[in-house]
Amino acid sequence: AWGPKFDGQQFYQYDPATNTTATERTPWVPYKNNRKDFFETGKTFVNTVSIDGGTDKTTARLSLTNLQNTWIIPNTGYKRNTVALSLNHKLTDRLRISAKANYTNRYSDNLPSTGYNNQTIMYWNMFQVPNANLNWWKDYWLPGAENITQRSPFSSLIDNPYLIAYEMLNKSNRNTLTGNVQVNYKFGQHWNLMLRSALDYSYEARSQQRPKDTERYKEGMYRTQNIFSQEINHDFLLQYARNVGKFELTASGGGSRLRNRYVKDELRAERLLYPGIFSFANSRDLPITLPYRAEFAVNSFYGLATVAFNKFLYLDLTARKDWSSTLASVNGVTEIPIYPSASLSGIVSEVVKLPEVISFAKVRGSWAEVGSGTTVPYRTAYTYAVATGFPSGLSNPGSIANPGLKPRRTRSTELGLDLRFLQNRIGLDVAVYRNNTYDQILEVPVDRASGYNYSVLNAGLVRNQGLEIQANAEILTRPSGFGWKVFGTYTANRNKVVELADSVFTYQLQRGPGGRGTVEARPGGNMGAIYGRGYLRAPDGQIIYRNGLPQLTNDVMLLGSALPKWKASIGNEFRYKQVRLNVLVDGQFGAKAYSMTNAVLAEQGKTKLTLPGRYNGIIGNGVIDNGDGTFRPNDVVAENVPAYYSQHYGRDNIEANLFRTDFLKLREVRIDYSLPASLLQRFKLTQATIGLYGRDLYILTKWPAYDPEFGTLNDDTVSLGYELGQFPSTRTIGLNLTVGI
């Protein structure tokens, strides 16, 4: 960080005994691991016991799974218990019944907060100074002021990390139940009827508590959310199958009825009366209530048919029609089109004599249209929203409803080729596709003089087209038991915004930190285009300096895309008798993202980029604007080095903090040993395997903040393009033991 040299000099520094400046000078020394040592080794233990068996008419399986996790942040982790039961019973030769049920309880007394804010560990991690002993933070309450005043040695803008871990708790207790009951009845030789009902139910109790004297909640805070979610599906499918000469016909028709209900009751006490007591009875003010209810339903009919000719030519046809309540309005349900699809495939090797090296050849082509209504209800009529910041009340909606809202639709075309060589030892599958998505349901900004912020519209045409390749090869097969297989994938996708709504020049998908930069969809660009401020440059591209400091543009410009151009993976499987070794490497290339971590650290002088000129000033590489359209080389010394690097790498400079997210990862290495059949029989076992595995073991990348495969949480979605307080990436090493009796 900006400060004196580490040359053995002594300075007045922080005294942990008095929590203030020391009265005597002490050596200025670095504590090299004062960030790393805060983190712990995460551990996960999973134990599963399953029992299955049955008779000629009835089969059953019961499994119990217990998971216990402690994460890399102290006092974080979760427990999970799962019970799964499945039953199948043959009542008669024509009638079968089956049922499945899965119950899970997931509990945590503290889940870590994420993102760039003073309630997260990574926020503290950025501002931790190199000359601070980590032990100075551990007693996080000042003596005699427990639950009232925290120990924050170097800045009142950041909270003590141990206070965050042990007092700023985020609790969760979630119970889920999923299951279905299915009946199959066979009518004669060709007809079969399936009836099914399914349930997906969950209830979760969440709470967040913040003690007094935290940077954001000086008076403390306590919140709870009780969340109920339920989805019930009923469906039926009538099937017909028959062979006529060289033709094989399978046809099905059915329907479904979906009902979804979501309820969230939230209570907030934004200021507490007494310290250390987290309850609504301790609220200084009247607690704020934020109820939310949402329900929607979808009714559907669908049909599908498959015609096979002479076991080489296959035609598949489907059609579906939905009626969604989220598209209903006072004018009635919007007319919903039928979504059709057709695919045709032919096994060329069955009808054409190919060279002996080609074992199998298949070509395929398909065209499909799919659609969906939004799962966000109440966008087609005027509804009030719950007022925020008040104990109770309603507010006018922020968006103009659209009574004529239509479903989003996607039309896709795909061509593919499946080839196998040398008696199926080598396989190659290639596919090209194009998807056009239009009538997307968007909230488009409108003039606020209208009284609204957005208008709900069907707008836009987005095109995705690309290439997918899968390949595999059996390199070696030896009688001694040694084998070697290779498999790989390659995908390349090109995304393009063809058009938006009339008079809409851009649609903002994500806003950068503090309003710095955006991810926008603009006609001609893609859905991951990153816009922001960058260097002000001369016509030849050189950076323009003024008074020794680099200058930034006032207007935003296109700086890159968060969408990778291609991804690939390659894996190897080696076998020798009962030993199997798998190695998987993958990577992505062609995307960029903004790193908030890099910007904040650079502003504080904690990156190697900020070392040059630290004590003697620096002359930036660029030009000075002469004011008459000409430029001269920059020759002004920037003596204020922190200001110089803040202009270069500070948060406002999106261009300088935009890095490629290219990477190569050693994704997984796994070695398994299975007991031979002779030993299994001796110990009366059906299987016994022990495996050692490692995931995300090594990465090659120039990304500056831990891992380029980051995801930024934005409400209930994961956003691309902007890294905000990313947690360190972790490698996982584990042992797996499977025994069957």
Side-chain angles (χ1 to χ4, degrees):
W2 308 119
K5 299 179 181 179
F6 299 140
D7 57 3
Q9 298 184 44
Q10 296 188 344
F11 299 87
Y12 292 108
Q13 299 182 74
Y14 171 74
D15 182 1
T18 61
N19 196 44
T20 186
T21 304
T23 57
E24 296 182 2
R25 297 174 185 265
T26 55
W28 185 287
V29 295
Y31 296 87
K32 295 182 179 180
N33 294 322
N34 68 349
R35 290 182 178 83
K36 179 181 177 181
D37 288 348
F38 177 81
F39 297 93
E40 300 177 344
T41 299
K43 296 179 288 292
T44 301
F45 297 92
V46 182
N47 293 285
T48 299
V49 177
S50 63
I51 303 173
D52 60 73
T55 65
D56 58 339
K57 290 187 176 182
T58 304
T59 60
R61 186 178 191 276
L62 174 67
S63 68
L64 307 174
T65 301
N66 171 263
L67 180 150
Q68 298 195 41
N69 166 270
T70 56
W71 204 51
I72 61 175
I73 303 297
N75 197 40
T76 61
Y78 67 96
K79 298 178 181 178
R80 188 179 69 205
N81 290 293
T82 302
V83 181
L85 175 65
S86 63
L87 297 169
N88 293 275
H89 182 61
K90 180 181 178 182
L91 293 172
T92 69
D93 290 339
R94 294 179 179 272
L95 181 61
R96 294 175 179 268
I97 185 170
S98 62
K100 295 180 180 180
N102 188 307
Y103 168 77
T104 300
N105 172 258
R106 185 178 186 273
Y107 172 81
S108 175
D109 55 11
N110 190 26
L111 296 171
S113 297
T114 63
Y116 181 79
N117 62 79
N118 48 34
Q119 301 177 72
T120 69
I121 293 298
M122 298 314 295
Y123 187 87
W124 165 84
N125 185 73
M126 295 181 194
F127 288 92
Q128 165 74 315
V129 294
N131 61 306
N133 190 330
L134 185 62
N135 292 326
W136 297 345
W137 298 88
K138 289 185 176 180
D139 295 327
Y140 48 82
W141 293 120
L142 291 183
E146 288 79 5
N147 294 315
I148 297 175
T149 306
Q150 68 165 303
R151 186 188 300 273
S152 186
F154 300 99
S155 173
S156 61
L157 297 178
I158 57 175
D159 288 314
N160 187 302
Y162 292 97
L163 182 79
I164 296 174
Y166 290 96
E167 301 287 345
M168 299 172 66
L169 305 182
N170 307 292
K171 300 181 180 181
S172 172
N173 188 4
R174 179 181 175 88
N175 295 279
T176 61
L177 176 64
T178 60
N180 67 71
V181 177
Q182 180 175 314
V183 176
N184 288 82
Y185 186 75
K186 189 173 184 180
F187 297 89
Q189 183 179 359
H190 305 295
W191 294 91
N192 184 76
L193 176 64
M194 183 275 291
L195 302 174
R196 179 172 55 196
S197 291
L199 170 69
D200 187 340
Y201 168 93
S202 71
Y203 174 78
E204 182 176 9
R206 300 177 184 171
S207 69
Q208 302 84 42
Q209 63 188 56
R210 302 293 182 265
K212 287 179 177 287
D213 197 40
T214 60
E215 199 280 334
R216 187 169 180 179
Y217 297 99
K218 293 297 183 182
E219 298 298 319
M221 175 272 280
Y222 181 62
R223 296 177 180 176
T224 64
Q225 302 88 31
N226 292 314
I227 302 171
F228 168 82
S229 176
Q230 175 182 282
E231 184 169 292
I232 299 176
N233 285 275
H234 304 292
D235 63 324
F236 73 92
L237 189 67
L238 181 63
Q239 298 173 305
Y240 176 81
R242 188 165 188 172
N243 297 341
V244 180
K246 294 183 178 182
F247 289 92
E248 297 178 15
L249 172 65
T250 302
S252 304
S256 65
R257 181 178 185 268
L258 179 151
R259 296 294 182 270
N260 184 286
R261 185 178 178 217
Y262 180 87
V263 178
K264 181 170 76 170
D265 291 316
E266 181 170 1
L267 286 174
R268 294 183 177 183
E270 300 296 80
R271 296 194 303 166
L272 302 180
L273 189 60
Y274 300 105
I277 301 175
F278 299 98
S279 71
F280 294 109
N282 190 37
S283 179
R284 181 181 292 271
D285 311 301
L286 188 65
I288 297 172
T289 61
L290 295 173
Y292 179 77
R293 305 287 189 275
E295 295 186 45
F296 69 89
V298 181
N299 294 328
S300 306
F301 283 108
Y302 39 81
L304 54 153
T306 299
V307 180
F309 174 71
N310 205 23
K311 298 186 182 298
F312 85 91
L313 191 63
Y314 299 86
L315 174 65
D316 292 277
L317 302 172
T318 70
R320 181 185 179 97
K321 188 165 185 174
D322 297 328
W323 291 266
S324 176
S325 67
T326 59
L327 301 178
S329 69
V330 293
N331 301 328
V333 178
T334 302
E335 180 61 29
I336 307 297
I338 294 176
Y339 306 126
S341 76
S343 65
L344 181 66
S345 61
I347 303 176
V348 179
S349 54
E350 290 290 329
V351 294
V352 177
K353 185 172 178 60
L354 299 174
E356 186 176 352
V357 68
I358 302 178
S359 311
F360 178 86
K362 178 181 177 180
V363 294
R364 64 182 185 274
S366 66
W367 177 90
E369 180 173 332
V370 296
S372 65
T374 174
T375 57
V376 179
Y378 320 129
R379 284 180 161 181
T380 60
Y382 189 96
T383 57
Y384 290 98
V386 176
T388 59
F390 301 93
S392 63
L394 299 174
S395 65
N396 291 324
S399 299
I400 301 174
N402 185 349
L405 202 61
K406 298 182 293 185
R408 180 187 65 179
R409 289 186 286 173
T410 298
R411 289 175 180 165
S412 59
T413 304
E414 180 176 324
L415 297 174
L417 178 64
D418 185 357
L419 296 174
R420 299 168 200 172
F421 306 91
L422 301 176
Q423 298 181 348
N424 296 323
R425 292 186 60 177
I426 298 176
L428 177 67
D429 191 298
V430 180
V432 293
Y433 63 87
R434 170 179 282 191
N435 301 332
N436 288 329
T437 301
Y438 56 100
D439 283 342
Q440 297 181 84
I441 299 173
L442 306 175
E443 285 191 325
V444 177
V446 296
D447 190 339
R448 294 194 175 184
S450 65
Y452 297 90
N453 298 323
Y454 303 95
S455 178
V456 180
L457 297 176
N458 287 111
L461 171 58
V462 177
R463 176 172 296 151
N464 284 281
Q465 55 189 16
L467 169 69
E468 296 179 347
I469 300 175
Q470 298 182 45
N472 62 276
E474 189 172 353
I475 306 298
L476 289 175
T477 301
R478 291 286 184 265
S480 61
F482 181 78
W484 176 20
K485 294 180 180 179
V486 178
F487 49 91
T489 64
Y490 173 89
T491 62
N493 183 76
R494 297 295 179 266
N495 174 275
K496 182 178 181 181
V497 181
V498 180
E499 62 183 41
L500 292 175
D502 294 341
S503 74
V504 176
F505 169 70
T506 181
Y507 181 73
Q508 188 178 113
L509 300 169
Q510 182 186 345
R511 190 174 179 85
R516 302 175 181 91
T518 55
V519 175
E520 299 181 22
R522 297 187 183 186
N526 62 52
M527 297 290 285
I530 300 173
Y531 290 84
R533 298 176 65 192
Y535 290 112
L536 187 65
R537 297 179 182 272
D540 62 357
Q542 295 190 75
I543 299 172
I544 297 175
Y545 286 77
R546 184 181 304 155
N547 299 324
L549 302 180
Q551 300 301 295
L552 303 182
T553 61
N554 292 321
D555 298 326
V556 300
M557 54 185 178
L558 176 62
L559 297 171
S561 173
L563 302 179
K565 293 182 178 179
W566 59 275
K567 298 181 179 182
S569 69
I570 184 168
N572 288 270
E573 179 186 280
F574 303 94
R575 284 179 177 270
Y576 182 70
K577 296 183 179 180
Q578 279 71 49
V579 179
R580 182 179 65 181
L581 173 65
N582 282 282
V583 181
L584 177 64
V585 176
D586 64 8
Q588 73 173 31
F589 300 88
K592 293 182 178 181
Y594 172 89
S595 174
M596 185 72 162
T597 299
N598 185 80
V600 172
L601 293 178
E603 286 176 344
Q604 300 175 65
K606 295 175 181 175
T607 62
K608 292 181 180 180
L609 293 171
T610 63
L611 287 176
R614 179 164 295 202
Y615 305 107
N616 302 310
I618 188 172
I619 298 176
N621 184 21
V623 295
I624 297 175
D625 189 347
N626 294 321
D628 58 0
T630 62
F631 300 86
R632 68 180 188 275
N634 177 42
D635 56 2
V636 177
V637 177
E639 297 180 355
N640 188 341
V641 177
Y644 173 88
Y645 282 115
S646 291
Q647 280 287 97
H648 260 300
Y649 306 116
R651 281 168 266 193
D652 291 333
N653 193 340
I654 306 300
E655 179 183 356
N657 289 290
L658 208 65
F659 299 89
R660 298 185 70 90
T661 56
D662 301 349
F663 70 84
L664 278 176
K665 274 191 177 184
L666 181 55
R667 181 69 67 180
E668 184 173 24
V669 176
R670 183 181 183 98
I671 184 168
D672 294 287
Y673 174 76
S674 300
L675 260 62
S678 58
L679 289 179
L680 292 175
Q681 294 176 358
R682 179 179 177 182
F683 294 109
K684 297 181 179 180
L685 300 175
T686 59
Q687 64 170 326
T689 302
I690 185 169
L692 180 66
Y693 64 88
R695 299 190 182 102
D696 298 325
L697 295 175
Y698 188 75
I699 182 171
L700 287 174
T701 183
K702 292 185 178 181
W703 176 254
Y706 306 115
D707 193 332
E709 281 191 300
F710 69 89
T712 298
L713 288 176
N714 183 11
D715 293 329
D716 58 349
T717 61
V718 178
S719 302
L720 298 175
Y722 286 86
E723 173 270 316
L724 310 177
Q726 180 188 4
F727 278 114
S729 55
T730 59
R731 62 172 57 94
T732 301
I733 298 174
L735 181 69
N736 180 268
L737 176 63
T738 303
V739 178
I741 301 176

